[in-house]
Amino acid sequence: MTFTAGSAVLDAVVLSIVARDSEGTYGYRITQDVRSVMDVSESSLYPVLRRLQAAGLLETYDKEFSGRNRRYYRITVQGVAALDAYRRDWQDYRNKMDGILLGITANN
């Protein structure tokens, strides 16, 4: 059985992946890292990147690579704040799910 992830989880995963490298990372690399943990199509991730950019959570720059431009994504200050909020929400969600699925309470 595979659990599906909503857009908030996908946004959090993308922001987290981009945040790992202060210099930024490029789209194909982001899609490969996301796909290593979630079952999503590559074509569905580029609209997510554009949406996060439009929201001011990511910024882009182009850099030459092998004779052509490669688009890089870097997390913004607003993106870091959003990622922190996603991480807090994830901890709360995970604690609740652990309580239901595993019988683990936050006090254990």
Side-chain angles (χ1 to χ4, degrees):
M1 173 183 216
T2 301
F3 295 100
T4 59
S7 65
V9 172
L10 184 55
D11 289 357
V13 169
V14 168
L15 289 173
S16 184
I17 287 168
V18 175
R20 293 188 298 194
D21 189 342
S22 63
E23 295 298 313
T25 188
Y26 55 97
Y28 180 75
R29 178 63 183 257
I30 295 167
T31 62
Q32 294 307 301
D33 289 350
V34 170
R35 291 179 76 194
S36 73
V37 296
M38 299 173 72
D39 186 25
V40 295
S41 69
E42 184 176 330
S43 63
S44 67
L45 288 171
Y46 283 96
V48 172
L49 291 167
R50 285 192 295 276
R51 183 171 42 77
L52 293 173
Q53 181 185 2
L57 305 180
L58 295 177
E59 60 187 13
T60 63
Y61 65 95
D62 292 337
K63 187 176 177 181
E64 190 272 326
F65 178 80
S66 296
R68 52 181 272 200
N69 279 339
R70 179 183 273 175
R71 172 129 318 154
Y72 282 77
Y73 296 84
R74 184 171 34 222
I75 195 165
T76 64
V77 172
Q78 296 93 334
V80 170
L83 178 56
D84 288 344
Y86 279 129
R87 287 175 171 163
R88 285 189 304 274
D89 289 349
W90 178 257
Q91 285 294 102
D92 184 50
Y93 177 77
R94 191 177 99 191
N95 288 340
K96 290 176 182 176
M97 291 302 288
D98 284 350
I100 297 291
L101 295 175
L102 304 175
I104 299 171
T105 61
N107 297 332
N108 284 354

